[in-house]
Amino acid sequence: MDIATIGVEDWLNVHERDAVWDIAQSTIASLTMDELRSLDGADGATLDEMVAHAKMNYGWIEGSPEFKAEVQKLYRREIDPRHILQTNGCTGANLNALLAVVRPGDHVIAEWPTYAPLYEIPRALGAQVDLWQIREEQGWMPDIAELEGLVRPTTRLICINNASNPVGAVLDADMLGRIAEVAASVGAYVLSDEVYLPLEGTDRFLSMADVYDRAIVTNSVSKTYSLPAARTGWVIADEAVSGAIRTMRDYTMISAGVVNDALATYVLAHREQVLERNRAIVLGNRAIAQEWIDAQPRVSWVAPRGVSTSYIRLDIPEDDESFCLRLLEERGVLLVPGSRFELPCGARLGYCAQREVLRRGLELLGEALSEFDR
């Protein structure tokens, strides 16, 4: 298989350990173990008991019944637990789903720009991939008429990222319904990567699993639930696709692991406390970032809609990658160049870092930008 490098992952793999002020990540400030243990109000006794009595074998291959029960609660439709399969993060969910669905010669439509595996994996599997472009001047919203023009009678799959990485745009229920109608007109599946849950207007947010019976939904506890250390995600699909994913999982992962399952189950069982914490981070830090952007003549953004990933446009006489590298080397500040998402002249800003990290990172970024005006 000939597959492209994931630009953002390659950048972070090389540079993130050199950062003093990391404002590049898209996770909402990761929980410490002390914070995690405090969620049950009993100094972590619940988690301790879950782990202490567990046999250190392969565990539940598809995810424990307790894990699946917590995942079911995230959706408005009743989801058959057989259709919920645990994965190694959302990355593993996307990989296994695409391996199970996409065949050489298939026609796939992918929202773009977005997280590269959603279009690069289908390409590597031999599919013909058309890109459904989202545009900054439209608030990073797609045009449904363009999707209607791209779809074919032979379209196998439409891939979306809701909310979108890196730009933070959220597709509303109306748009999801219209995407489902287009997909249904040709019998296509819709893969919806939903790892970024909007933390404002949450009651109005719908999963594609609640909208379309041929949805394939991927998610994890890494971003919204601030627990990337658990490396645990899930994929939801119909009987045919979930059956095919079972086969793929036997090749790619077997199981996520007993301890990881316990961590993910525990954090989902206490998700309301986590979401309350994270909502304060998202909204408070977005206000800090907005105030900073308002004072920066060389920076603009379409403010993210309550999600932890964002893209800033940089008006600078230097390519974004060399600027970001110099920013890291001279000031210890880490951003992801927009060119790593095929969005040159900008950067992914991980504004949901710890607040003191965000403030200092933005201060130093502002200093670097001011040098262009001397």
Side-chain angles (χ1 to χ4, degrees):
M1 180 186 293
D2 183 15
I3 192 165
T5 298
I6 303 174
V8 57
E9 303 300 346
D10 179 60
W11 177 267
L12 292 174
N13 290 344
V14 173
H15 297 299
E16 67 181 347
R17 294 300 179 185
D18 297 328
V20 179
W21 309 101
D22 187 346
I23 52 173
Q25 310 295 336
S26 58
T27 294
I28 303 171
S30 296
L31 290 160
T32 66
M33 183 56 78
D34 283 344
E35 287 178 303
L36 189 67
R37 289 171 58 83
S38 72
L39 294 175
D40 68 353
D43 196 26
T46 306
L47 181 60
D48 290 346
E49 185 174 354
M50 292 170 71
V51 175
H53 297 297
K55 288 186 178 181
M56 293 294 106
N57 54 19
Y58 284 100
W60 293 88
I61 299 303
E62 297 183 1
S64 67
E66 294 79 11
F67 171 80
K68 291 191 176 192
E70 293 301 333
V71 170
Q72 284 177 298
K73 296 173 186 176
L74 304 177
Y75 302 92
R76 302 189 186 189
R77 278 188 178 181
E78 184 176 348
I79 306 293
D80 186 333
R82 277 185 46 80
H83 297 168
I84 302 170
L85 299 173
Q86 196 174 75
T87 60
N88 180 235
C90 196
T91 299
N94 287 329
L95 173 63
N96 281 284
L98 291 166
L99 287 172
V101 172
V102 178
R103 305 162 301 195
D106 278 347
H107 181 237
V108 175
I109 299 170
E111 177 189 359
W112 182 88
T114 191
Y115 187 50
L118 296 180
Y119 52 90
E120 293 293 4
I121 293 173
R123 282 175 177 166
L125 293 172
Q128 180 184 348
V129 179
D130 282 329
L131 301 177
W132 182 27
Q133 189 166 357
I134 60 176
R135 295 180 172 83
E136 190 172 11
E137 62 270 20
Q138 296 173 346
W140 297 116
M141 287 291 109
D143 184 339
I144 197 70
E146 293 184 14
L147 178 62
E148 291 169 341
L150 291 171
V151 77
R152 306 175 187 172
T154 56
T155 300
R156 173 76 168 166
L157 178 68
I158 299 169
C159 296
I160 62 174
N161 186 197
N162 194 30
S164 178
N165 178 21
V167 299
V170 179
L171 304 178
D172 62 19
D174 178 66
M175 177 60 77
L176 293 181
R178 297 173 75 186
I179 293 170
E181 288 176 1
V182 173
S185 71
V186 294
Y189 286 100
V190 175
L191 191 159
S192 183
D193 178 334
E194 297 176 355
V195 76
Y196 300 100
L197 173 72
L199 293 183
E200 58 183 351
T202 305
D203 58 332
R204 300 189 301 274
F205 177 81
L206 285 180
S207 167
M208 185 56 83
D210 297 321
V211 175
Y212 186 42
D213 59 3
R214 290 174 71 84
I216 304 166
V217 168
T218 60
N219 207 331
S220 82
V221 297
S222 296
K223 307 296 184 181
T224 302
Y225 303 102
S226 300
L227 196 60
R231 303 309 309 129
T232 302
W234 60 92
V235 57
I236 296 172
D238 65 17
E239 183 68 25
V241 172
S242 59
I245 292 171
R246 278 188 182 85
T247 299
M248 292 300 168
R249 288 177 76 264
D250 289 341
Y251 284 93
T252 60
M253 63 173 291
I254 307 296
S255 68
V258 172
V259 175
N260 287 350
D261 181 281
L263 286 170
T265 302
Y266 175 86
V267 82
L268 289 176
H270 296 91
R271 64 187 170 278
E272 293 306 325
Q273 296 100 303
V274 177
L275 294 179
E276 182 179 2
R277 166 200 186 260
N278 287 358
R279 190 172 292 109
I281 293 172
V282 167
L283 300 183
N285 284 22
R286 187 179 63 184
I288 291 169
Q290 185 66 66
E291 182 180 12
W292 179 83
I293 288 169
D294 289 343
Q296 294 293 324
R298 291 185 175 273
V299 184
S300 61
W301 73 350
V302 177
R305 293 177 58 188
V307 298
S308 59
T309 184
S310 69
Y311 172 77
I312 54 174
R313 176 72 65 184
L314 299 175
D315 180 13
I316 55 175
E318 182 178 5
D319 74 84
D320 56 12
E321 186 143 338
S322 64
F323 173 73
C324 287
L325 187 58
R326 191 163 56 81
L327 180 70
L328 178 63
E329 292 173 344
E330 295 178 0
R331 291 177 165 83
V333 177
L334 183 67
L335 294 171
V336 179
S339 56
R340 293 297 177 123
F341 292 92
E342 301 184 63
L343 283 169
C345 304
R348 185 173 78 179
L349 171 65
Y351 74 99
C352 290
Q354 294 289 346
R355 193 155 294 180
E356 63 275 13
V357 173
L358 175 66
R359 288 188 184 278
R360 183 57 175 159
L362 290 177
E363 180 183 7
L364 292 169
L365 174 56
E367 289 179 7
L369 291 168
S370 70
E371 292 182 348
F372 291 114
D373 299 311
R374 290 179 181 173

